[in-house]
């Protein structure tokens, strides 16, 4: 049985990137991605990896207002488990 809280020391790290490409005076595409890990030094805890990626289109309506469409994917993998948790989200920004 796993405890609901972690016991003992742990370490984590995250790497991420983001890039925007200007398509026209008003339109642009933004892409981003991240990878994170969580590791424990004592047994009884569950190590994990997570991945997040997004792709969006931005359109400037005026100098101060813009609208955008965003797709995001997230995945969480747990060491020693064949299952993973993931989601896909589409949103308007």
């Amino acid at each position: 049985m796993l405890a609901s809280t972690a016991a003992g020391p742990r370490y984590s790290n995250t790497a991420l990137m983001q890039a925007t490409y200007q398509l026209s005076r008003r339109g642009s595409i933004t892409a981003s991605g991240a990878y994170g890990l969580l590791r424990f030094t004592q047994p009884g805890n569950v190590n994990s990896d997570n991945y997040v990626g997004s792709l969006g289109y931005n359109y400037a309506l005026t100098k101060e207002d813009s609208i955008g469409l965003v797709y995001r994917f997230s995945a969480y993998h747990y060491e020693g488990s064949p299952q993973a948790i993931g989601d896909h989200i589409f949103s308007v920004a």
Side-chain angles (χ1 to χ4, degrees):
M1 180 172 163
L2 296 174
S4 61
T5 59
R10 63 179 174 244
Y11 61 94
S12 64
N13 205 351
T14 302
L16 57 102
M17 60 72 72
Q18 179 179 356
T20 300
Y21 180 75
Q22 193 76 31
L23 297 171
S24 67
R25 205 174 108 233
R26 291 184 176 224
S28 63
I29 292 176
T30 301
S32 65
Y35 167 75
L37 61 87
L38 178 62
R39 299 292 183 265
F40 295 92
T41 60
Q42 295 182 352
N45 296 297
V46 180
N47 296 328
S48 64
D49 297 311
N50 66 326
Y51 309 88
V52 178
S54 68
L55 182 64
Y57 175 75
N58 314 297
Y59 185 79
L61 299 170
T62 67
K63 279 186 168 185
E64 299 168 353
D65 299 317
S66 63
I67 191 168
L69 300 172
V70 181
Y71 165 73
R72 184 183 67 124
F73 170 75
S74 300
Y76 300 89
H77 297 265
Y78 300 96
E79 194 173 276
S81 175
Q83 290 187 319
I85 298 171
D87 66 358
H88 301 268
I89 297 173
F90 292 92
S91 57
V92 177

